Amino acid sequence: MSASEKAKALAEQAIGKVKKEAGRAVGNESATAEGSAKESKGALRGAKEKARDAFKG
C-alpha cells in the first residue's frame, strides 16, 4: 500500500469517527450517519489498497 493512500485511509477513518461521536454526543443523527459513512469509506479504501498489494506480489 502506498504511504499516501494509507494516510488518506487512516485520516478518513479518524475524521469519520470524530464526526460520528460528535454527532452522537449532541444527538444529531445526520452527523452521526455522515461520520459512520466516512469511517466506512476509509476502511474500504484501506482494504482496497491491501488487496492491490496482495495481487502485486
Side-chain angles (χ1 to χ4, degrees):
M1 178 182 328
S2 72
S4 66
E5 288 298 316
K6 184 176 183 179
K8 285 179 187 177
L10 290 174
E12 207 160 32
Q13 286 175 316
I15 291 168
K17 187 169 190 108
V18 168
K19 188 168 190 170
K20 179 176 76 172
E21 292 303 322
R24 189 176 292 162
V26 297
N28 185 336
E29 290 181 24
S30 176
T32 303
E34 287 176 21
S36 291
K38 191 157 189 95
E39 189 175 8
S40 296
K41 186 177 175 186
L44 287 173
R45 182 189 300 257
K48 177 187 82 170
E49 289 301 315
K50 285 181 183 178
R52 184 180 295 170
D53 285 347
F55 287 110
K56 277 185 180 178

